């Protein structure tokens, strides 16, 4: 008997094959961030640790650099840093997922990897109102080939109550005290974001428990991609609300990603929580998903883009990338996010400078690049404002600036002059205590920058599209700043090595 699913996967792989090499040579291609081998990527899906490897699936359209019928792309890594692409895991086409395998999650059961995802069907032309979503299962014996469950969908309909019947998606599954639970993204009938809680003993039969949280004014019209986990004794609900209104420097992107902290009562299915906190203050961070690894770390990864943003790489036949995997910890009374420690595996060409005074603007010897990590400890007591310019090309005037203003306590990321693509400015509150020390950790990967301030208290992420010559780094201070310590490393290429002409570099043993 013909296996239509595997045939559709093979066709999608052939489509990618035609453009893969061309895409790999694009100067904007990230070297250490996961990106699709070609064409479109959005949300991370099924992020999990299975049989000694980290698996990262992602929303993928393998026929064009535009969002369309969703497949699940698949990458795998032993160390969260060096990733290799595997064949596409899911292709749409059954009656229940004809128009897309939407976001979902993964869990191991009986040694097999189970994917719980949303089957999407369009029932008319209006993509907001004419849709039917159900929850489906796919199972793999080896973590590479996935077969859809013959009994799909496993949750055919949204439950009764004040629950929108069609916008019903993005199951995230976990195990708790011998049972499986899943949260799902939802909205009320009058369009207020909410999360639904389900329970199952076997991943096949699911019972609706309750509306777990949401339904309030001011939190947007739909909650996408919920994720519930406990961290250091508290429960955290990560979610991606659509339609929150801008509030000062907050919620300026089209959609938001953040978390609610509280406690889930598994008996009543209710989540008591505090206010919404953003997980990233930049431009490009959406639909984060987490996993718990063997070492007990809670690790988050997100789509490093935003719906409806201009994406200049589309002209080069690809679109989108993932953020770095970030470890979540509860420290100093708050959730902090920092790239996983394994990032240090990629460090090369170290540069180290101590006690350098900057007044005005200056370059420093050996400090430049387009694929690097830069750690800065800055004494800014004698500066009104201080910061660093990245991806600078003095001739063309390109630069991406990061500047801290002491009076307002705001860190500003400015991509107005970054190159092609969208501009804009984002500001984040950063506390600099009396000692006047500002700690910054920056990761630049050709067309992206990720900023971590004060040991992960604040993160800011942006896609930028500089010219290939824009590799300068300049330091600046209005007044005087002392660079107490500067550490910089180039970061090796760790993604997309399969496309490399050098078979040794592409070797399986990463
Ligand atoms: C979030 C999202 C999900 C949906 C997927 C479709 O970015 O809209 O809610 O499952 O993308 O690609």
């Amino acid at each position: 008997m013909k296996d239509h699913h595997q045939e559709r996967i093979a066709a999608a792989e052939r489509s990618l094959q035609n453009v893969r090499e061309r895409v790999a040579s694009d100067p904007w291609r990230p070297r250490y961030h996961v990106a699709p081998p070609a064409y479109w990527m959005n949300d991370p899906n099924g992020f999990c640790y299975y049989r000694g490897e980290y698996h990262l699936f992602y929303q993928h359209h393998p026929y064009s650099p535009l969002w369309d019928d969703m497949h699940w792309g698949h990458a795998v890594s032993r160390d969260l840093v060096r990733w290799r692409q595997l064949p596409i895991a899911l292709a749409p086409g059954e009656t229940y997922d004809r128009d897309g395998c939407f976001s979902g999650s993964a869990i191991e059961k009986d040694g097999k990897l189970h994917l719980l995802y949303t089957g999407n069907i369009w029932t008319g032309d209006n993509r907001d109102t004419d849709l039917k979503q159900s929850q489906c299962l796919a199972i793999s014996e080896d973590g590479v080939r996935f077969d859809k469950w013959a009994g799909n969908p496993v949750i055919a309909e949204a439950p009764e109550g004040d629950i929108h019947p069609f916008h019903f998606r993005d199951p995230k599954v976990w195990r708790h005290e011998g049972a499986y639970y899943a949260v799902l993204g939802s909205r009320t009938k009058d369009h207020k974001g909410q999360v639904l809680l389900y329970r199952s003993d076997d991943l096949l039969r699911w019972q609706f428990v309750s509306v777990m949280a949401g339904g309030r004014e001011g939190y947007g019209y739909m909650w996408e991609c919920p994720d519930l986990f406990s961290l250091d004794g508290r429960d955290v609900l990560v979610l991606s609300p659509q339609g929150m209104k801008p509030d000062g420097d907050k919620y300026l992107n089209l959609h938001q990603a953040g978390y609610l902290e509280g406690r889930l009562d598994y008996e009543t299915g209710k989540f008591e929580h505090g206010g919404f906190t953003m997980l990233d203050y930049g431009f490009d961070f959406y639909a984060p998903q987490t996993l718990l690894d063997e070492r007990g770390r809670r690790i988050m990864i997100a789509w490093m883009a935003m719906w409806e943003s201009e994406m200049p790489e589309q002209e080069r036949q690809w679109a989108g990338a993932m953020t770095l995997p970030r470890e979540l910890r509860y420290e100093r009374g708050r959730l902090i996010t920092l790239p996983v420690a394994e990032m240090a595996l990629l460090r090369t060409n170290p540069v180290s400078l101590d006690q350098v005074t900057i007044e005005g603007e200056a370059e420093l010897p050996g400090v430049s690049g387009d694929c690097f990590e830069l750690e800065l400890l800055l004494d800014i007591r004698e500066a009104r404002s201080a910061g660093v310019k990245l991806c600078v090309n003095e001739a063309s005037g390109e630069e991406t600036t990061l500047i801290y203003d002491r009076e307002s306590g705001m860190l500003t990321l400015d991509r107005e002059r970054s190159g092609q693509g969208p501009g804009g400015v984002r500001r984040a509150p950063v506390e600099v205590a009396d000692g006047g020390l500002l700690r910054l950790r920056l990761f630049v990967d050709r067309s992206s920058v990720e900023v971590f301030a004060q040991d992960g208290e604040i993160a800011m992420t942006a896609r930028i599209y500089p010219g290939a010559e824009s590799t300068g780094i300049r330091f600046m201070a209005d007044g005087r700043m002392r660079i107490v310590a500067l550490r910089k490393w180039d970061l090796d290429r760790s993604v997309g090595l399969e496309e490399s002409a050098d078979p040794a570099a592409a070797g399986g043993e990463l």
Side-chain angles (χ1 to χ4, degrees):
M1 210 176 82
K2 279 199 166 174
D3 187 331
H4 295 294
H5 184 220
Q6 294 305 324
E7 280 178 11
R8 289 194 299 268
I9 287 175
E13 289 293 337
R14 285 195 294 278
S15 160
L16 293 171
Q17 210 47 45
N18 296 333
V19 279
R20 243 182 140 113
E21 241 174 83
R22 205 164 96 220
V23 166
S25 63
D26 177 4
W28 282 332
R29 279 296 279 182
R31 290 169 69 86
Y32 59 88
H33 286 80
V34 176
Y39 297 138
W40 173 269
M41 158 192 278
N42 58 287
D43 313 357
N45 294 157
F47 189 36
C48 67
Y49 188 77
Y50 172 67
R51 290 198 194 158
E53 290 188 305
Y54 296 92
H55 288 255
L56 173 64
F57 303 83
Y58 51 88
Q59 291 285 280
H60 183 32
H61 184 239
Y63 292 98
S64 85
L66 303 173
W67 186 85
D68 209 325
D69 296 347
M70 282 293 107
H71 293 57
W72 276 37
H74 189 186
V76 73
S77 171
R78 289 211 185 105
D79 57 14
L80 287 165
V81 168
R82 290 170 281 203
W83 292 93
R84 115 188 102 82
Q85 292 284 352
L86 290 180
I88 286 172
L90 296 178
E94 315 329 309
T95 48
Y96 52 82
D97 66 9
R98 191 183 63 216
D99 300 315
C101 300
F102 277 17
S103 285
S105 53
I107 195 162
E108 179 175 352
K109 177 174 175 282
D110 305 328
K112 298 177 192 163
L113 192 56
H114 289 61
L115 308 181
L116 189 62
Y117 70 97
T118 298
N120 188 66
I121 300 172
W122 304 125
T123 53
D125 293 337
N126 185 328
R127 303 224 150 168
D128 246 347
T129 54
D130 305 341
L131 73 171
K132 167 95 181 85
Q133 303 190 318
S134 63
Q135 316 315 319
C136 310
L137 202 59
I139 303 171
S140 174
E141 307 261 349
D142 61 1
V144 179
R145 178 201 156 110
F146 291 83
D147 293 304
K148 294 179 188 171
W149 173 244
N152 275 344
V154 290
I155 308 177
E157 308 260 317
E160 299 285 301
D162 189 8
I163 296 167
H164 193 284
F166 308 141
H167 286 280
F168 172 59
R169 57 179 173 267
D170 310 338
K172 173 78 201 285
V173 58
W174 74 98
R175 200 165 161 78
H176 176 80
E177 292 181 354
Y180 297 97
Y181 289 85
V183 275
L184 261 103
S186 167
R187 58 170 85 174
T188 59
K189 287 184 174 145
D190 64 346
H191 310 289
K192 294 191 190 83
Q194 62 184 2
V195 168
L196 311 179
L197 180 67
Y198 277 80
R199 186 186 181 286
S200 171
D201 288 321
D202 55 9
L203 296 175
L204 305 176
R205 282 159 301 175
W206 288 90
Q207 297 93 43
F208 172 60
V209 179
S210 63
V211 174
M212 196 178 101
R216 297 191 196 174
E217 208 57 63
Y219 286 84
Y221 60 80
M222 171 77 199
W223 286 3
E224 296 191 308
C225 302
D227 187 349
L228 188 281
F229 51 87
S230 62
L231 187 71
D232 297 330
R234 39 180 73 70
D235 294 329
V236 176
L237 176 63
V238 163
L239 61 148
S240 293
Q242 295 181 299
M244 279 177 82
K245 301 262 174 311
D247 174 11
D249 291 310
K250 294 193 289 193
Y251 321 143
L252 296 176
N253 299 332
L254 179 64
H255 302 314
Q256 314 309 319
Y259 68 95
L260 305 168
E261 188 193 313
R263 165 114 354 245
L264 172 61
D265 181 334
Y266 280 85
E267 293 302 315
T268 61
K270 295 289 173 202
F271 182 64
E272 296 297 331
H273 60 84
F276 180 80
T277 307
M278 290 165 73
L279 278 163
D280 189 291
Y281 282 79
F283 304 86
D284 294 290
F285 183 93
Y286 196 62
Q289 193 175 79
T290 71
L291 62 70
L292 185 67
D293 79 355
E294 224 184 17
R295 291 156 56 184
R297 294 182 300 175
R298 180 60 58 177
I299 298 165
M300 169 180 76
I301 196 161
W303 181 35
M304 190 162 57
M306 181 46 68
W307 291 109
E308 296 177 30
S309 287
E310 187 192 341
M311 300 176 189
E313 73 266 36
Q314 283 173 321
E315 276 183 18
R316 303 177 183 189
Q317 305 308 326
W318 65 285
M322 291 294 155
T323 63
L324 291 178
R326 302 176 184 178
E327 185 178 347
L328 298 180
R329 277 195 237 141
Y330 215 87
E331 277 176 14
R332 311 187 287 279
R334 60 173 91 205
L335 194 68
I336 65 156
T337 68
L338 276 174
V340 290
E342 288 91 333
M343 289 310 300
L345 292 169
L346 300 180
R347 289 173 174 172
T348 162
N349 301 331
V351 176
S352 164
L353 296 169
D354 294 305
Q355 307 298 346
V356 183
T357 300
I358 305 282
E359 296 185 62
E361 217 181 287
E363 278 178 8
L364 295 174
V367 183
S368 67
D370 67 352
C371 268
F372 61 85
E373 174 185 353
L374 179 61
E375 254 183 37
L376 296 169
L377 179 58
L378 306 174
D379 179 342
I380 56 170
R381 275 173 302 182
E382 294 177 38
R384 279 172 292 279
S385 67
V388 55
K389 295 183 175 177
L390 306 165
C391 305
V392 179
N393 179 344
E394 284 187 70
S396 68
E398 275 180 20
E399 59 184 33
T400 299
T401 63
L402 185 67
I403 189 155
Y404 184 71
D405 179 68
R406 276 209 25 234
E407 201 186 312
S408 63
M410 298 303 273
L411 182 66
T412 300
L413 177 62
D414 180 342
R415 64 172 182 185
E416 278 296 311
R417 290 174 301 284
S418 292
Q420 293 187 46
V425 167
R426 290 288 180 271
R427 284 151 47 95
V430 171
E431 284 167 39
V432 172
D434 297 342
L437 288 180
L438 175 63
R439 272 174 202 281
L440 296 173
R441 233 176 124 194
L442 316 175
F443 289 82
V444 168
D445 190 3
R446 292 173 145 197
S447 60
S448 68
V449 49
E450 284 161 280
V451 175
F452 301 90
Q454 302 304 57
D455 293 312
E457 288 179 4
I458 291 289
M460 300 178 92
T461 300
R463 294 301 304 278
I464 51 170
Y465 300 91
E469 311 291 304
S470 303
T471 56
I473 299 176
R474 296 179 70 83
F475 299 86
M476 57 191 171
D478 177 4
R480 181 184 310 143
M481 120 171 126
R482 197 158 50 89
I483 302 179
V484 180
L486 174 157
R487 303 284 176 270
K488 183 204 157 239
W489 300 266
D490 291 325
L491 296 185
D492 272 342
R493 182 172 184 185
S494 63
V495 177
L497 293 169
E498 305 97 292
E499 282 117 23
S500 165
D502 172 7
E509 210 43 52
L510 280 171

